[in-house]
Amino acid sequence: MNPVSVLTQPFPAVAAIGPLRRRLLPGLAGLGHPRHVALTFDDGPHADATPELLDLLDRAGVRATFFLLGRMTEELPEVARAIADAGHEIGVHGYDHRLLTKRGPAATREDLDRATAAITAVTGTRPAWWRPPYGVANTAALLESRRLRLRPVLWTTWGRDWTATCTPDSVYRSVLRKLDGGGTILLHDSDVSAAPKCWLAMLGALPPILTTCRARGLAVGPLAEHGMAR
Ligand SMILES: [Zn+2]
């Protein structure tokens, strides 16, 4: 199904992950193979959080998909490159972390073009995926993402790891609340649009999340291995 023809209005993330959206647009919701869970991180790269996360994923033998910000990629090119060099998948989150519905069509297109160009140049990887900030897109962005051959994808569960009060346990419980085989987990390796250092809670939650997935017989990996329907 062509998402551009369906999503002619801005769509809030809560609607996008609702039961109807899951049925109509399983790929957009991030629903994949029932024995696989896609692990995704938004808002990076970050000077402290990303290297710690890369270490953790390396020790766990897990690869993930990182939705990068263009501005942060330009500020921290060596960190962005380290993500790609470690074999993780690269996606586009946007140049700046701003709500697209507050922008006009030209500014929306420019943000996505600039982000994609910066991320491609720095990482040496042509991104295949796009996730708009806050999970909210508009028609201009959806059309531009198609032109750039970026596939939009949201998530099915998240850690709520952006709040000042989140803890490893709260992030773990939030992810597990809606974690099923075929789901896509959203976490953040940054605090650029969140409470300072909230990524520490994410780092504490990730090992038990991976352990639980393994105990349930679910493989964890990037979106490229999620087997999503077109
Ligand atoms: Zn974000």
Side-chain angles (χ1 to χ4, degrees):
M1 189 180 296
N2 175 359
V4 174
S5 66
V6 176
L7 300 168
T8 51
Q9 298 298 318
F11 58 95
V14 280
I17 57 174
L20 183 65
R21 188 74 77 194
R22 281 184 186 217
R23 206 161 61 235
L24 289 176
L25 294 168
L28 179 66
L31 279 174
H33 191 279
R35 306 306 296 168
H36 189 267
V37 168
L39 183 60
T40 70
F41 297 92
D42 286 8
D43 295 7
H46 183 280
D48 301 320
T50 305
E52 289 209 32
L53 173 61
L54 291 177
D55 276 354
L56 196 161
L57 291 172
D58 184 48
R59 286 196 303 274
V62 170
R63 282 174 303 112
T65 303
F66 286 73
F67 288 91
L68 305 183
L69 290 170
R71 183 179 297 281
M72 298 311 299
T73 298
E74 286 180 346
E75 280 183 25
L76 299 165
E78 66 291 346
V79 184
R81 261 194 299 276
I83 299 170
D85 289 350
H88 299 289
E89 192 180 24
I90 303 294
V92 175
H93 198 33
Y95 190 83
D96 286 311
H97 202 281
R98 260 188 248 152
L99 200 57
L100 288 174
T101 49
K102 291 189 174 167
R103 297 176 166 209
T108 294
R109 283 192 294 273
E110 201 217 312
D111 182 274
L112 202 50
D113 292 355
R114 198 175 169 194
T116 305
I119 290 163
T120 303
V122 169
T123 64
T125 302
R126 186 85 177 82
W129 306 94
W130 167 59
R131 175 181 285 153
Y134 308 104
V136 180
N138 59 19
T139 305
L142 286 161
L143 288 170
E144 193 65 2
S145 70
R146 190 165 65 165
R147 195 184 71 75
L148 294 166
R149 297 200 303 279
L150 294 171
R151 192 172 170 190
V153 63
L154 299 177
W155 57 87
T156 62
T157 188
W158 59 20
R160 303 188 68 82
D161 53 345
W162 55 83
T163 67
T165 55
C166 69
T167 64
D169 189 52
S170 78
V171 174
Y172 173 81
R173 280 186 285 109
S174 176
V175 167
L176 266 286
R177 204 166 294 138
K178 288 188 178 172
L179 182 68
D180 292 314
T184 293
I185 298 172
L186 164 62
L187 294 167
H188 295 80
D189 60 324
S190 172
D191 52 12
V192 288
S193 61
K197 296 223 168 194
C198 57
W199 47 268
L200 287 168
M202 178 280 292
L203 288 174
L206 191 54
I209 290 169
L210 296 176
T211 300
T212 299
C213 286
R214 251 176 232 133
R216 292 183 184 180
L218 300 170
V220 179
L223 286 163
E225 296 171 6
H226 203 36
M228 293 202 298
R230 284 257 165 205

